[in-house]
Amino acid sequence: MVIDEPSGAVLGLHMVGPNASEIASIGLELIEKSLSLETVSSRPYAHLTATEILREIAEVALGEPIHVYIPKC
């Protein structure tokens, strides 16, 4: 996820994998609407779909991951 630092808006996505087209279709909406990380992290996504990763990425970028362990150094 490419983020505009001052506003926190999603500017772009980079992805590779079998479900990239599914994620890209939702990601395009995030980019077109210039949604912020806070908005992306609070949006509902269907469980057990590849698009859930968008929320996970936003939560990690905000430093508030729920499902990703980030060790504190």
mmCIF file of all heavy atoms in Angstrom, residues 3-53:
data_model
loop_
_atom_site.group_PDB
_atom_site.id
_atom_site.type_symbol
_atom_site.label_atom_id
_atom_site.label_comp_id
_atom_site.label_asym_id
_atom_site.label_seq_id
_atom_site.Cartn_x
_atom_site.Cartn_y
_atom_site.Cartn_z
ATOM 1 N N ILE A 3 1.036 5.144 0.640
ATOM 2 C CA ILE A 3 0.252 6.095 1.425
ATOM 3 C C ILE A 3 0.850 7.495 1.305
ATOM 4 O O ILE A 3 2.055 7.666 1.353
ATOM 5 C CB ILE A 3 0.255 5.689 2.918
ATOM 6 C CG1 ILE A 3 -0.156 4.232 3.096
ATOM 7 C CG2 ILE A 3 -0.593 6.617 3.764
ATOM 8 C CD1 ILE A 3 -1.541 3.916 2.671
ATOM 9 N N ASP A 4 -0.017 8.504 1.193
ATOM 10 C CA ASP A 4 0.413 9.899 1.257
ATOM 11 C C ASP A 4 0.642 10.226 2.727
ATOM 12 O O ASP A 4 -0.286 10.170 3.541
ATOM 13 C CB ASP A 4 -0.662 10.807 0.663
ATOM 14 C CG ASP A 4 -0.295 12.271 0.746
ATOM 15 O OD1 ASP A 4 0.822 12.624 0.343
ATOM 16 O OD2 ASP A 4 -1.141 13.058 1.233
ATOM 17 N N GLU A 5 1.888 10.526 3.071
ATOM 18 C CA GLU A 5 2.261 10.723 4.479
ATOM 19 C C GLU A 5 1.427 11.800 5.196
ATOM 20 O O GLU A 5 0.882 11.538 6.261
ATOM 21 C CB GLU A 5 3.748 11.059 4.576
ATOM 22 C CG GLU A 5 4.276 11.140 5.987
ATOM 23 C CD GLU A 5 4.358 9.787 6.663
ATOM 24 O OE1 GLU A 5 4.625 8.791 6.004
ATOM 25 O OE2 GLU A 5 4.150 9.755 7.890
ATOM 26 N N PRO A 6 1.292 13.011 4.644
ATOM 27 C CA PRO A 6 0.550 14.034 5.407
ATOM 28 C C PRO A 6 -0.923 13.696 5.624
ATOM 29 O O PRO A 6 -1.441 13.839 6.722
ATOM 30 C CB PRO A 6 0.686 15.299 4.561
ATOM 31 C CG PRO A 6 1.813 15.057 3.629
ATOM 32 C CD PRO A 6 1.888 13.568 3.436
ATOM 33 N N SER A 7 -1.604 13.237 4.571
ATOM 34 C CA SER A 7 -3.043 13.012 4.692
ATOM 35 C C SER A 7 -3.398 11.591 5.101
ATOM 36 O O SER A 7 -4.497 11.347 5.584
ATOM 37 C CB SER A 7 -3.733 13.325 3.359
ATOM 38 O OG SER A 7 -3.383 12.357 2.383
ATOM 39 N N GLY A 8 -2.493 10.644 4.869
ATOM 40 C CA GLY A 8 -2.796 9.248 5.158
ATOM 41 C C GLY A 8 -3.648 8.595 4.095
ATOM 42 O O GLY A 8 -4.139 7.491 4.267
ATOM 43 N N ALA A 9 -3.838 9.259 2.946
ATOM 44 C CA ALA A 9 -4.669 8.726 1.872
ATOM 45 C C ALA A 9 -3.935 7.619 1.121
ATOM 46 O O ALA A 9 -2.724 7.658 0.947
ATOM 47 C CB ALA A 9 -5.058 9.832 0.897
ATOM 48 N N VAL A 10 -4.699 6.624 0.671
ATOM 49 C CA VAL A 10 -4.141 5.531 -0.125
ATOM 50 C C VAL A 10 -3.934 6.041 -1.545
ATOM 51 O O VAL A 10 -4.872 6.506 -2.194
ATOM 52 C CB VAL A 10 -5.089 4.314 -0.123
ATOM 53 C CG1 VAL A 10 -4.533 3.200 -0.986
ATOM 54 C CG2 VAL A 10 -5.336 3.825 1.289
ATOM 55 N N LEU A 11 -2.683 5.968 -2.016
ATOM 56 C CA LEU A 11 -2.342 6.437 -3.359
ATOM 57 C C LEU A 11 -2.178 5.294 -4.353
ATOM 58 O O LEU A 11 -2.332 5.495 -5.556
ATOM 59 C CB LEU A 11 -1.044 7.250 -3.330
ATOM 60 C CG LEU A 11 -1.039 8.497 -2.461
ATOM 61 C CD1 LEU A 11 0.339 9.139 -2.491
ATOM 62 C CD2 LEU A 11 -2.099 9.477 -2.936
ATOM 63 N N GLY A 12 -1.858 4.115 -3.861
ATOM 64 C CA GLY A 12 -1.639 2.999 -4.767
ATOM 65 C C GLY A 12 -1.446 1.698 -4.015
ATOM 66 O O GLY A 12 -1.320 1.682 -2.796
ATOM 67 N N LEU A 13 -1.429 0.595 -4.774
ATOM 68 C CA LEU A 13 -1.226 -0.737 -4.213
ATOM 69 C C LEU A 13 -0.281 -1.508 -5.117
ATOM 70 O O LEU A 13 -0.317 -1.353 -6.332
ATOM 71 C CB LEU A 13 -2.549 -1.505 -4.144
ATOM 72 C CG LEU A 13 -3.636 -0.957 -3.248
ATOM 73 C CD1 LEU A 13 -4.949 -1.681 -3.523
ATOM 74 C CD2 LEU A 13 -3.258 -1.136 -1.794
ATOM 75 N N HIS A 14 0.544 -2.332 -4.517
ATOM 76 C CA HIS A 14 1.402 -3.258 -5.251
ATOM 77 C C HIS A 14 1.035 -4.647 -4.761
ATOM 78 O O HIS A 14 0.974 -4.877 -3.549
ATOM 79 C CB HIS A 14 2.883 -2.988 -4.967
ATOM 80 C CG HIS A 14 3.329 -1.648 -5.404
ATOM 81 N ND1 HIS A 14 3.744 -1.387 -6.685
ATOM 82 C CD2 HIS A 14 3.410 -0.469 -4.743
ATOM 83 C CE1 HIS A 14 4.083 -0.119 -6.789
ATOM 84 N NE2 HIS A 14 3.882 0.468 -5.614
ATOM 85 N N MET A 15 0.790 -5.582 -5.681
ATOM 86 C CA MET A 15 0.414 -6.921 -5.259
ATOM 87 C C MET A 15 0.782 -7.953 -6.314
ATOM 88 O O MET A 15 0.843 -7.638 -7.500
ATOM 89 C CB MET A 15 -1.070 -6.990 -4.948
ATOM 90 C CG MET A 15 -1.964 -6.710 -6.140
ATOM 91 S SD MET A 15 -3.639 -6.324 -5.698
ATOM 92 C CE MET A 15 -3.521 -4.563 -5.556
ATOM 93 N N VAL A 16 1.042 -9.146 -5.841
ATOM 94 C CA VAL A 16 1.334 -10.280 -6.705
ATOM 95 C C VAL A 16 0.671 -11.488 -6.079
ATOM 96 O O VAL A 16 0.762 -11.683 -4.873
ATOM 97 C CB VAL A 16 2.856 -10.526 -6.812
ATOM 98 C CG1 VAL A 16 3.149 -11.771 -7.617
ATOM 99 C CG2 VAL A 16 3.560 -9.320 -7.392
ATOM 100 N N GLY A 17 -0.012 -12.278 -6.851
ATOM 101 C CA GLY A 17 -0.593 -13.499 -6.306
ATOM 102 C C GLY A 17 -1.867 -13.885 -7.007
ATOM 103 O O GLY A 17 -2.388 -13.143 -7.857
ATOM 104 N N PRO A 18 -2.388 -15.043 -6.635
ATOM 105 C CA PRO A 18 -3.570 -15.577 -7.325
ATOM 106 C C PRO A 18 -4.837 -14.746 -7.120
ATOM 107 O O PRO A 18 -5.741 -14.813 -7.919
ATOM 108 C CB PRO A 18 -3.729 -16.975 -6.745
ATOM 109 C CG PRO A 18 -2.958 -16.975 -5.477
ATOM 110 C CD PRO A 18 -1.877 -15.953 -5.624
ATOM 111 N N ASN A 19 -4.928 -13.972 -6.057
ATOM 112 C CA ASN A 19 -6.130 -13.171 -5.803
ATOM 113 C C ASN A 19 -5.879 -11.684 -6.011
ATOM 114 O O ASN A 19 -6.647 -10.847 -5.528
ATOM 115 C CB ASN A 19 -6.628 -13.417 -4.382
ATOM 116 C CG ASN A 19 -7.079 -14.835 -4.184
ATOM 117 O OD1 ASN A 19 -6.288 -15.678 -3.772
ATOM 118 N ND2 ASN A 19 -8.315 -15.133 -4.515
ATOM 119 N N ALA A 20 -4.836 -11.336 -6.736
ATOM 120 C CA ALA A 20 -4.491 -9.931 -6.928
ATOM 121 C C ALA A 20 -5.619 -9.158 -7.612
ATOM 122 O O ALA A 20 -5.882 -8.005 -7.256
ATOM 123 C CB ALA A 20 -3.200 -9.806 -7.727
ATOM 124 N N SER A 21 -6.304 -9.769 -8.557
ATOM 125 C CA SER A 21 -7.381 -9.044 -9.259
ATOM 126 C C SER A 21 -8.546 -8.738 -8.320
ATOM 127 O O SER A 21 -9.182 -7.691 -8.429
ATOM 128 C CB SER A 21 -7.866 -9.833 -10.470
ATOM 129 O OG SER A 21 -8.354 -11.095 -10.075
ATOM 130 N N GLU A 22 -8.839 -9.631 -7.381
ATOM 131 C CA GLU A 22 -9.900 -9.383 -6.405
ATOM 132 C C GLU A 22 -9.530 -8.208 -5.503
ATOM 133 O O GLU A 22 -10.343 -7.327 -5.250
ATOM 134 C CB GLU A 22 -10.118 -10.637 -5.554
ATOM 135 C CG GLU A 22 -11.171 -10.458 -4.479
ATOM 136 C CD GLU A 22 -11.266 -11.656 -3.543
ATOM 137 O OE1 GLU A 22 -10.740 -12.728 -3.854
ATOM 138 O OE2 GLU A 22 -11.870 -11.491 -2.466
ATOM 139 N N ILE A 23 -8.294 -8.189 -5.045
ATOM 140 C CA ILE A 23 -7.836 -7.110 -4.177
ATOM 141 C C ILE A 23 -7.778 -5.793 -4.955
ATOM 142 O O ILE A 23 -8.158 -4.743 -4.436
ATOM 143 C CB ILE A 23 -6.466 -7.447 -3.568
ATOM 144 C CG1 ILE A 23 -6.575 -8.715 -2.716
ATOM 145 C CG2 ILE A 23 -5.934 -6.288 -2.726
ATOM 146 C CD1 ILE A 23 -5.253 -9.301 -2.317
ATOM 147 N N ALA A 24 -7.329 -5.854 -6.210
ATOM 148 C CA ALA A 24 -7.215 -4.642 -7.026
ATOM 149 C C ALA A 24 -8.571 -3.979 -7.246
ATOM 150 O O ALA A 24 -8.672 -2.748 -7.248
ATOM 151 C CB ALA A 24 -6.566 -4.972 -8.366
ATOM 152 N N SER A 25 -9.614 -4.765 -7.417
ATOM 153 C CA SER A 25 -10.933 -4.172 -7.661
ATOM 154 C C SER A 25 -11.411 -3.359 -6.463
ATOM 155 O O SER A 25 -11.994 -2.296 -6.613
ATOM 156 C CB SER A 25 -11.960 -5.245 -8.024
ATOM 157 O OG SER A 25 -12.157 -6.128 -6.947
ATOM 158 N N ILE A 26 -11.140 -3.842 -5.256
ATOM 159 C CA ILE A 26 -11.496 -3.089 -4.048
ATOM 160 C C ILE A 26 -10.492 -1.964 -3.819
ATOM 161 O O ILE A 26 -10.845 -0.854 -3.422
ATOM 162 C CB ILE A 26 -11.544 -4.016 -2.818
ATOM 163 C CG1 ILE A 26 -12.571 -5.133 -3.024
ATOM 164 C CG2 ILE A 26 -11.846 -3.238 -1.546
ATOM 165 C CD1 ILE A 26 -13.992 -4.668 -3.182
ATOM 166 N N GLY A 27 -9.213 -2.251 -4.079
ATOM 167 C CA GLY A 27 -8.164 -1.249 -3.903
ATOM 168 C C GLY A 27 -8.383 -0.025 -4.769
ATOM 169 O O GLY A 27 -8.077 1.094 -4.359
ATOM 170 N N LEU A 28 -8.920 -0.228 -5.962
ATOM 171 C CA LEU A 28 -9.190 0.898 -6.858
ATOM 172 C C LEU A 28 -10.161 1.886 -6.223
ATOM 173 O O LEU A 28 -9.985 3.097 -6.322
ATOM 174 C CB LEU A 28 -9.750 0.388 -8.182
ATOM 175 C CG LEU A 28 -10.033 1.429 -9.251
ATOM 176 C CD1 LEU A 28 -8.760 2.196 -9.603
ATOM 177 C CD2 LEU A 28 -10.602 0.771 -10.482
ATOM 178 N N GLU A 29 -11.155 1.380 -5.530
ATOM 179 C CA GLU A 29 -12.106 2.250 -4.828
ATOM 180 C C GLU A 29 -11.398 3.067 -3.747
ATOM 181 O O GLU A 29 -11.657 4.266 -3.596
ATOM 182 C CB GLU A 29 -13.216 1.424 -4.200
ATOM 183 C CG GLU A 29 -14.211 2.258 -3.423
ATOM 184 C CD GLU A 29 -15.215 1.419 -2.653
ATOM 185 O OE1 GLU A 29 -15.064 0.193 -2.576
ATOM 186 O OE2 GLU A 29 -16.145 2.035 -2.111
ATOM 187 N N LEU A 30 -10.487 2.440 -3.015
ATOM 188 C CA LEU A 30 -9.757 3.149 -1.968
ATOM 189 C C LEU A 30 -8.945 4.300 -2.560
ATOM 190 O O LEU A 30 -8.874 5.387 -1.985
ATOM 191 C CB LEU A 30 -8.818 2.192 -1.228
ATOM 192 C CG LEU A 30 -9.408 0.919 -0.645
ATOM 193 C CD1 LEU A 30 -8.320 0.101 0.032
ATOM 194 C CD2 LEU A 30 -10.544 1.220 0.296
ATOM 195 N N ILE A 31 -8.326 4.032 -3.704
ATOM 196 C CA ILE A 31 -7.494 5.038 -4.363
ATOM 197 C C ILE A 31 -8.349 6.158 -4.950
ATOM 198 O O ILE A 31 -8.059 7.336 -4.756
ATOM 199 C CB ILE A 31 -6.630 4.380 -5.456
ATOM 200 C CG1 ILE A 31 -5.657 3.389 -4.820
ATOM 201 C CG2 ILE A 31 -5.892 5.425 -6.273
ATOM 202 C CD1 ILE A 31 -5.043 2.413 -5.805
ATOM 203 N N GLU A 32 -9.411 5.793 -5.678
ATOM 204 C CA GLU A 32 -10.272 6.804 -6.314
ATOM 205 C C GLU A 32 -10.901 7.750 -5.296
ATOM 206 O O GLU A 32 -11.066 8.929 -5.551
ATOM 207 C CB GLU A 32 -11.367 6.127 -7.130
ATOM 208 C CG GLU A 32 -10.873 5.522 -8.415
ATOM 209 C CD GLU A 32 -11.983 4.844 -9.187
ATOM 210 O OE1 GLU A 32 -13.015 4.442 -8.604
ATOM 211 O OE2 GLU A 32 -11.807 4.704 -10.419
ATOM 212 N N LYS A 33 -11.255 7.225 -4.133
ATOM 213 C CA LYS A 33 -11.901 8.042 -3.106
ATOM 214 C C LYS A 33 -10.900 8.667 -2.144
ATOM 215 O O LYS A 33 -11.300 9.374 -1.229
ATOM 216 C CB LYS A 33 -12.913 7.201 -2.325
ATOM 217 C CG LYS A 33 -14.091 6.764 -3.175
ATOM 218 C CD LYS A 33 -15.095 6.006 -2.361
ATOM 219 C CE LYS A 33 -16.300 5.646 -3.216
ATOM 220 N NZ LYS A 33 -17.317 4.920 -2.457
ATOM 221 N N SER A 34 -9.592 8.392 -2.356
ATOM 222 C CA SER A 34 -8.529 8.906 -1.477
ATOM 223 C C SER A 34 -8.855 8.647 -0.007
ATOM 224 O O SER A 34 -8.746 9.525 0.835
ATOM 225 C CB SER A 34 -8.299 10.401 -1.704
ATOM 226 O OG SER A 34 -7.860 10.640 -3.008
ATOM 227 N N LEU A 35 -9.266 7.417 0.276
ATOM 228 C CA LEU A 35 -9.637 7.077 1.647
ATOM 229 C C LEU A 35 -8.413 7.033 2.543
ATOM 230 O O LEU A 35 -7.333 6.642 2.125
ATOM 231 C CB LEU A 35 -10.358 5.731 1.674
ATOM 232 C CG LEU A 35 -11.669 5.665 0.909
ATOM 233 C CD1 LEU A 35 -12.305 4.290 1.041
ATOM 234 C CD2 LEU A 35 -12.639 6.729 1.390
ATOM 235 N N SER A 36 -8.594 7.416 3.782
ATOM 236 C CA SER A 36 -7.493 7.440 4.746
ATOM 237 C C SER A 36 -7.277 6.050 5.339
ATOM 238 O O SER A 36 -8.142 5.180 5.258
ATOM 239 C CB SER A 36 -7.803 8.421 5.875
ATOM 240 O OG SER A 36 -8.870 7.921 6.662
ATOM 241 N N LEU A 37 -6.118 5.862 5.967
ATOM 242 C CA LEU A 37 -5.831 4.594 6.639
ATOM 243 C C LEU A 37 -6.871 4.286 7.706
ATOM 244 O O LEU A 37 -7.275 3.143 7.885
ATOM 245 C CB LEU A 37 -4.444 4.642 7.285
ATOM 246 C CG LEU A 37 -3.256 4.584 6.346
ATOM 247 C CD1 LEU A 37 -1.973 4.802 7.123
ATOM 248 C CD2 LEU A 37 -3.220 3.275 5.597
ATOM 249 N N GLU A 38 -7.309 5.307 8.422
ATOM 250 C CA GLU A 38 -8.316 5.107 9.470
ATOM 251 C C GLU A 38 -9.616 4.569 8.877
ATOM 252 O O GLU A 38 -10.243 3.682 9.440
ATOM 253 C CB GLU A 38 -8.588 6.417 10.225
ATOM 254 C CG GLU A 38 -7.467 6.855 11.128
ATOM 255 C CD GLU A 38 -6.342 7.587 10.393
ATOM 256 O OE1 GLU A 38 -6.483 7.901 9.183
ATOM 257 O OE2 GLU A 38 -5.301 7.817 11.021
ATOM 258 N N THR A 39 -10.002 5.117 7.736
ATOM 259 C CA THR A 39 -11.228 4.658 7.077
ATOM 260 C C THR A 39 -11.066 3.231 6.564
ATOM 261 O O THR A 39 -11.946 2.394 6.760
ATOM 262 C CB THR A 39 -11.602 5.591 5.904
ATOM 263 O OG1 THR A 39 -11.774 6.906 6.417
ATOM 264 C CG2 THR A 39 -12.878 5.141 5.219
ATOM 265 N N VAL A 40 -9.926 2.949 5.928
ATOM 266 C CA VAL A 40 -9.681 1.606 5.401
ATOM 267 C C VAL A 40 -9.663 0.584 6.533
ATOM 268 O O VAL A 40 -10.211 -0.512 6.397
ATOM 269 C CB VAL A 40 -8.357 1.562 4.607
ATOM 270 C CG1 VAL A 40 -8.039 0.151 4.159
ATOM 271 C CG2 VAL A 40 -8.421 2.489 3.399
ATOM 272 N N SER A 41 -9.075 0.943 7.665
ATOM 273 C CA SER A 41 -8.980 0.000 8.771
ATOM 274 C C SER A 41 -10.311 -0.225 9.476
ATOM 275 O O SER A 41 -10.471 -1.219 10.184
ATOM 276 C CB SER A 41 -7.935 0.452 9.793
ATOM 277 O OG SER A 41 -8.374 1.600 10.484
ATOM 278 N N SER A 42 -11.271 0.657 9.290
ATOM 279 C CA SER A 42 -12.567 0.496 9.959
ATOM 280 C C SER A 42 -13.673 0.000 9.024
ATOM 281 O O SER A 42 -14.784 -0.256 9.487
ATOM 282 C CB SER A 42 -13.001 1.822 10.598
ATOM 283 O OG SER A 42 -13.239 2.783 9.592
ATOM 284 N N ARG A 43 -13.372 -0.147 7.737
ATOM 285 C CA ARG A 43 -14.383 -0.631 6.788
ATOM 286 C C ARG A 43 -14.623 -2.122 6.966
ATOM 287 O O ARG A 43 -13.716 -2.867 7.274
ATOM 288 C CB ARG A 43 -13.926 -0.400 5.348
ATOM 289 C CG ARG A 43 -13.852 1.060 4.975
ATOM 290 C CD ARG A 43 -13.419 1.196 3.551
ATOM 291 N NE ARG A 43 -14.600 0.974 2.721
ATOM 292 C CZ ARG A 43 -14.570 0.819 1.412
ATOM 293 N NH1 ARG A 43 -13.442 0.821 0.762
ATOM 294 N NH2 ARG A 43 -15.663 0.629 0.731
ATOM 295 N N PRO A 44 -15.856 -2.561 6.737
ATOM 296 C CA PRO A 44 -16.112 -4.006 6.815
ATOM 297 C C PRO A 44 -15.666 -4.703 5.527
ATOM 298 O O PRO A 44 -15.864 -4.183 4.433
ATOM 299 C CB PRO A 44 -17.638 -4.090 6.972
ATOM 300 C CG PRO A 44 -18.144 -2.834 6.351
ATOM 301 C CD PRO A 44 -17.071 -1.786 6.555
ATOM 302 N N TYR A 45 -15.032 -5.844 5.684
ATOM 303 C CA TYR A 45 -14.639 -6.687 4.556
ATOM 304 C C TYR A 45 -15.166 -8.084 4.844
ATOM 305 O O TYR A 45 -15.174 -8.521 5.994
ATOM 306 C CB TYR A 45 -13.112 -6.737 4.405
ATOM 307 C CG TYR A 45 -12.504 -5.400 4.070
ATOM 308 C CD1 TYR A 45 -12.095 -4.531 5.067
ATOM 309 C CD2 TYR A 45 -12.364 -5.002 2.748
ATOM 310 C CE1 TYR A 45 -11.540 -3.302 4.762
ATOM 311 C CE2 TYR A 45 -11.808 -3.772 2.431
ATOM 312 C CZ TYR A 45 -11.407 -2.927 3.442
ATOM 313 O OH TYR A 45 -10.870 -1.707 3.131
ATOM 314 N N ALA A 46 -15.608 -8.774 3.818
ATOM 315 C CA ALA A 46 -16.116 -10.133 4.001
ATOM 316 C C ALA A 46 -15.001 -11.017 4.557
ATOM 317 O O ALA A 46 -13.864 -10.969 4.084
ATOM 318 C CB ALA A 46 -16.622 -10.685 2.684
ATOM 319 N N HIS A 47 -15.348 -11.805 5.585
ATOM 320 C CA HIS A 47 -14.350 -12.685 6.211
ATOM 321 C C HIS A 47 -14.060 -13.874 5.304
ATOM 322 O O HIS A 47 -14.946 -14.384 4.630
ATOM 323 C CB HIS A 47 -14.855 -13.163 7.561
ATOM 324 C CG HIS A 47 -13.860 -13.999 8.292
ATOM 325 N ND1 HIS A 47 -12.587 -13.570 8.567
ATOM 326 C CD2 HIS A 47 -13.957 -15.251 8.783
ATOM 327 C CE1 HIS A 47 -11.932 -14.520 9.205
ATOM 328 N NE2 HIS A 47 -12.745 -15.552 9.344
ATOM 329 N N LEU A 48 -12.827 -14.232 5.321
ATOM 330 C CA LEU A 48 -12.267 -15.278 4.490
ATOM 331 C C LEU A 48 -12.261 -14.891 3.008
ATOM 332 O O LEU A 48 -12.620 -15.665 2.137
ATOM 333 C CB LEU A 48 -12.962 -16.614 4.694
ATOM 334 C CG LEU A 48 -12.588 -17.315 5.998
ATOM 335 C CD1 LEU A 48 -13.292 -18.639 6.107
ATOM 336 C CD2 LEU A 48 -11.096 -17.510 6.115
ATOM 337 N N THR A 49 -11.888 -13.651 2.755
ATOM 338 C CA THR A 49 -11.649 -13.205 1.388
ATOM 339 C C THR A 49 -10.269 -12.551 1.349
ATOM 340 O O THR A 49 -9.752 -12.102 2.376
ATOM 341 C CB THR A 49 -12.689 -12.178 0.901
ATOM 342 O OG1 THR A 49 -12.598 -11.001 1.714
ATOM 343 C CG2 THR A 49 -14.099 -12.736 0.961
ATOM 344 N N ALA A 50 -9.713 -12.485 0.173
ATOM 345 C CA ALA A 50 -8.387 -11.888 0.021
ATOM 346 C C ALA A 50 -8.404 -10.398 0.330
ATOM 347 O O ALA A 50 -7.397 -9.832 0.755
ATOM 348 C CB ALA A 50 -7.871 -12.122 -1.396
ATOM 349 N N THR A 51 -9.552 -9.741 0.155
ATOM 350 C CA THR A 51 -9.613 -8.295 0.366
ATOM 351 C C THR A 51 -9.441 -7.901 1.833
ATOM 352 O O THR A 51 -9.143 -6.747 2.124
ATOM 353 C CB THR A 51 -10.930 -7.709 -0.160
ATOM 354 O OG1 THR A 51 -12.024 -8.389 0.447
ATOM 355 C CG2 THR A 51 -11.011 -7.842 -1.663
ATOM 356 N N GLU A 52 -9.591 -8.837 2.743
ATOM 357 C CA GLU A 52 -9.366 -8.539 4.165
ATOM 358 C C GLU A 52 -7.955 -8.012 4.413
ATOM 359 O O GLU A 52 -7.727 -7.300 5.382
ATOM 360 C CB GLU A 52 -9.545 -9.798 5.015
ATOM 361 C CG GLU A 52 -10.959 -10.191 5.272
ATOM 362 C CD GLU A 52 -11.010 -11.386 6.190
ATOM 363 O OE1 GLU A 52 -10.691 -12.496 5.733
ATOM 364 O OE2 GLU A 52 -11.358 -11.206 7.372
ATOM 365 N N ILE A 53 -7.025 -8.357 3.539
ATOM 366 C CA ILE A 53 -5.640 -7.933 3.725
ATOM 367 C C ILE A 53 -5.521 -6.410 3.678
ATOM 368 O O ILE A 53 -4.616 -5.838 4.290
ATOM 369 C CB ILE A 53 -4.709 -8.604 2.686
ATOM 370 C CG1 ILE A 53 -3.243 -8.444 3.095
ATOM 371 C CG2 ILE A 53 -4.935 -8.034 1.296
ATOM 372 C CD1 ILE A 53 -2.866 -9.134 4.363
#
